[in-house]
Amino acid sequence: EVSEMAEKSRQNVAHGLAWSYYIGYLKIVLPRLRKSLEEFGRANPSRLPRRETWKVHILVPLSCDIPDDLEKADSNIQYLTDLTETILTKGGIKNRVYKHSLYAIRDEDNEPWHCVLEFATPLQSLYAMSQDACAAFSREERLGQAKIFYRTLEEILRGSKECRGTYRLIPYQEPAEAEPHFLAREVLWHLRQQCHEEYALGDATPDANLPTSLGTTELDLQMSQEELPLPLRSDLF
């Protein structure tokens, strides 16, 4: 009965997507990131990101609307190259390729900040479901699912020893009025935050000017009790 209720309200969709994303992708690629960056740095020292930002920066738009081309989404984000590929045989697929893309993010002074950047691609499924009559997600339900996805993924990664220190989640909600460089500004905030955190390790005096929110925009990531995922097994009660 509980499983049927959860299925009808679709409360386990985002929870399952987060676990699938972690097991099928992040747990595979994140532990190999530092080695890939070290190999890349030996051949391309001028393009190597600052060591404090040696992470996969994962964009989590709460709208679930993910553009395929970051450069077209924001002209201050420039694709540079791909890191060394990881090639594995998975699920019957021979020589399956996993790779990350390196980008340059231009700041206000047109100076480049290099980082590994990509979207949380499972959100594309949530967006597609909201456009499909069979799934019939409303905009409010989609937003609730996006929050569940983010919170679940955050909790999973926080407990993963293999992935510790190799990722940075960047949740954001697009402004009501279009801003051409909103996305670059969000990423830059997180890059600067990481550099500040590294610098501040030996300094007990906090910087009063440093933002304390998740990013440059204030996000409401609170979830009601109804939005929380339910267990699929009824014998847990």
Side-chain angles (χ1 to χ4, degrees):
E1 182 180 354
V2 172
S3 297
E4 185 178 352
M5 290 171 59
E7 184 178 351
K8 286 182 178 179
S9 61
R10 297 182 290 270
Q11 289 175 315
N12 290 295
V13 174
H15 187 260
L17 285 174
W19 271 104
S20 177
Y21 185 45
Y22 169 69
I23 296 294
Y25 177 63
L26 296 179
K27 191 176 181 181
I28 297 171
V29 299
L30 290 183
R32 295 171 168 82
L33 177 67
R34 291 190 179 276
K35 182 179 179 181
S36 295
L37 284 168
E38 288 170 355
E39 292 175 355
F40 176 81
R42 285 193 286 269
N44 305 272
S46 64
R47 289 184 167 188
L48 189 65
R50 304 181 191 194
R51 185 169 288 272
E52 305 88 27
T53 64
W54 278 22
K55 300 173 183 178
V56 176
H57 296 79
I58 303 172
L59 297 167
V60 185
L62 297 184
S63 69
C64 301
D65 190 3
I66 295 179
D68 291 323
D69 194 330
L70 270 166
E71 292 179 296
K72 291 181 179 179
D74 192 319
S75 59
N76 277 357
I77 300 178
Q78 178 188 2
Y79 168 78
L80 295 178
T81 188
D82 293 327
L83 299 183
T84 305
E85 297 175 347
T86 295
I87 301 176
L88 302 170
T89 296
K90 287 284 184 180
I93 302 173
K94 293 287 188 180
N95 301 321
R96 186 168 186 174
V97 176
Y98 300 85
K99 64 180 180 180
H100 300 293
S101 295
L102 187 69
Y103 287 87
I105 318 297
R106 297 281 174 179
D107 63 16
E108 301 82 1
D109 300 319
N110 205 34
E111 292 297 321
W113 291 62
H114 298 156
C115 72
V116 179
L117 186 65
E118 59 191 57
F119 281 101
T121 52
L123 292 178
Q124 289 179 314
S125 297
L126 288 177
Y127 188 83
M129 289 178 71
S130 71
Q131 306 297 308
D132 193 303
C134 294
F137 265 175
S138 68
R139 182 176 298 181
E140 291 74 19
E141 287 174 321
R142 187 179 69 199
L143 176 60
Q145 291 291 318
K147 291 178 182 180
I148 293 173
F149 175 85
Y150 169 73
R151 289 300 192 194
T152 304
L153 184 61
E154 183 183 43
E155 183 178 352
I156 294 169
L157 288 171
R158 192 187 301 125
S160 173
K161 294 181 180 179
E162 301 99 321
C163 300
R164 187 171 298 165
T166 61
Y167 67 92
R168 180 88 172 193
L169 298 181
I170 304 180
Y172 66 89
Q173 195 154 15
E174 294 88 342
E177 297 183 6
E179 297 180 26
H181 302 305
F182 166 79
L183 197 53
R185 191 176 75 245
E186 288 292 305
V187 177
L188 283 168
W189 187 92
H190 282 267
L191 294 175
R192 287 167 173 155
Q193 175 83 338
Q194 291 170 84
C195 292
H196 176 89
E197 289 169 352
E198 184 76 12
Y199 176 79
L201 285 176
D203 184 3
T205 304
D207 186 347
N209 296 319
L210 187 67
T212 56
S213 65
L214 282 172
T216 60
T217 56
E218 186 176 351
L219 296 179
D220 177 15
L221 291 169
Q222 299 298 316
M223 293 185 292
S224 67
Q225 191 67 29
E226 289 75 16
E227 289 178 314
L228 295 174
L230 296 175
L232 289 173
R233 292 174 53 193
S234 59
D235 60 351
L236 294 178
F237 291 85

